[in-house]
Amino acid sequence: MLSKRLASTAAICLLLAAGTAACGGDKDTAAAGPKLDTDKLSAQEIEKQAKDALAGASSVKIAGSIADEDGKTSIDLSLDTKGQCTGSMGMPGMGSFEIISDGKASYLKPDKEFWKSFGGPKGEQVAELFKGRYLTGFEGDPQMKSLTTVCNLAELSKKITEDDGTKSKAEKGSAGTVNGAKTFSLKVTNSDGEQSTIHVATEGKFYPVRIEKTTGKDGGQIDFTEYDKPVTIKVPAADSVIDFAKFKQQLQTA
């Protein structure tokens, strides 16, 4: 029912990367420290610096959107390598939801539109019955498991930085400033001819700052900020939470 959409949300960075292997960024990376020698380094070497920096990050905030034939998917999420996350996501034609994870349990709070989509023919009843409630206990559900991946920076960065075997070509771009950070851009073309631009911080830690999908059917932009800042989690009150298994039972009898 929702697995295609949830999977596309979890893969939002991979879609934007368009065959490259990096996502990320923050103005705080411009602190005193080493500087990226963009004159001497090749595009591939700069890309490796960004990949290594991302792999070593303990937390990050991801915000932006990506469009496909169905519309625009948005994300605004803070996450860390402990599996903690907090934020929201939106899907075209399906509404949006808040998501919280403390690294052990995850909680999903859909808006009315999302509840209606989730409930199918019983959408109106479901939206009224469960409004203001959080779902939990869905980590083992095949349709929902993608959400636990998107909440874990260690898993997400591993997927982003691993070589997937596809051939892509990186070319050096130009210096600039993104989100207050001094940057250098890389233009990457994947095996399908689709292009993305990666903006990499050139001072401090060489985190990527922004990824823009500039050609192809899936356009969009993702900014990565607040690297290595603690993620503060507030678990929902017990009386505002419903177990996913119980929800499915009630859905059948609604």
Side-chain angles (χ1 to χ4, degrees):
M1 175 168 55
L2 294 176
S3 57
K4 179 182 177 181
R5 280 290 177 205
L6 295 178
S8 69
T9 300
I12 195 166
C13 284
L14 299 176
L15 291 172
L16 271 178
T20 186
C23 283
D26 187 7
K27 63 182 180 182
D28 292 337
T29 59
K35 295 185 178 182
L36 189 66
D37 194 339
T38 57
D39 290 331
K40 292 183 179 180
L41 295 175
S42 67
Q44 290 71 28
E45 290 169 331
I46 294 172
E47 184 181 26
K48 184 178 185 304
Q49 294 275 6
K51 290 165 62 176
D52 292 345
L54 176 62
S58 62
S59 64
V60 69
K61 181 176 181 179
I62 306 172
S65 63
I66 185 169
D68 60 19
E69 64 273 13
D70 296 320
K72 185 179 292 184
T73 298
S74 62
I75 185 168
D76 188 343
L77 189 69
S78 296
L79 63 156
D80 65 18
T81 54
K82 299 176 182 178
Q84 298 186 131
C85 75
T86 181
S88 63
M89 301 181 197
M91 300 178 186
M94 296 188 69
S96 62
F97 56 88
E98 296 177 30
I99 185 167
I100 299 171
S101 176
D102 62 3
K104 297 179 181 178
S106 298
Y107 305 87
L108 189 75
K109 183 182 180 182
D111 66 0
K112 183 177 181 179
E113 185 179 357
F114 198 91
W115 273 127
K116 288 169 67 175
S117 299
F118 206 102
K122 300 177 180 179
E124 288 286 353
Q125 292 171 273
V126 170
E128 182 63 28
L129 183 62
F130 299 108
K131 66 180 180 180
R133 306 286 293 276
Y134 288 85
L135 282 175
T136 192
F138 52 77
E139 291 84 355
D141 187 274
Q143 294 185 355
M144 305 288 284
K145 64 182 180 180
S146 295
L147 291 175
T148 59
T149 299
V150 80
C151 266
N152 192 313
L153 179 58
E155 292 295 322
L156 193 60
S157 63
K158 182 179 179 181
K159 288 185 177 182
I160 294 169
T161 57
E162 279 184 340
D163 184 359
D164 62 2
T166 61
K167 294 183 178 180
S168 60
K169 180 181 179 181
E171 298 178 348
K172 293 168 74 170
S174 59
T177 302
V178 177
N179 293 333
K182 293 181 179 180
T183 61
F184 190 82
S185 64
L186 295 177
K187 295 182 179 180
V188 181
T189 305
N190 69 7
S191 56
D192 294 324
E194 297 179 336
Q195 295 182 342
S196 295
T197 300
I198 306 173
H199 303 270
V200 182
T202 57
E203 296 181 350
K205 295 182 179 179
F206 308 133
Y207 294 125
V209 174
R210 172 179 292 168
I211 290 183
E212 299 171 281
K213 181 70 181 301
T214 52
T215 65
K217 62 181 180 179
D218 304 317
Q221 173 180 301
I222 297 290
D223 285 349
F224 291 70
T225 60
E226 300 182 12
Y227 270 105
D228 301 321
K229 293 184 178 180
V231 176
T232 301
I233 302 299
K234 185 178 180 181
V235 175
D239 61 0
S240 66
V241 174
I242 182 170
D243 185 83
F244 188 61
K246 185 177 181 180
F247 160 74
K248 290 195 292 185
Q249 291 177 351
Q250 293 191 25
L251 180 61
Q252 293 175 352
T253 59

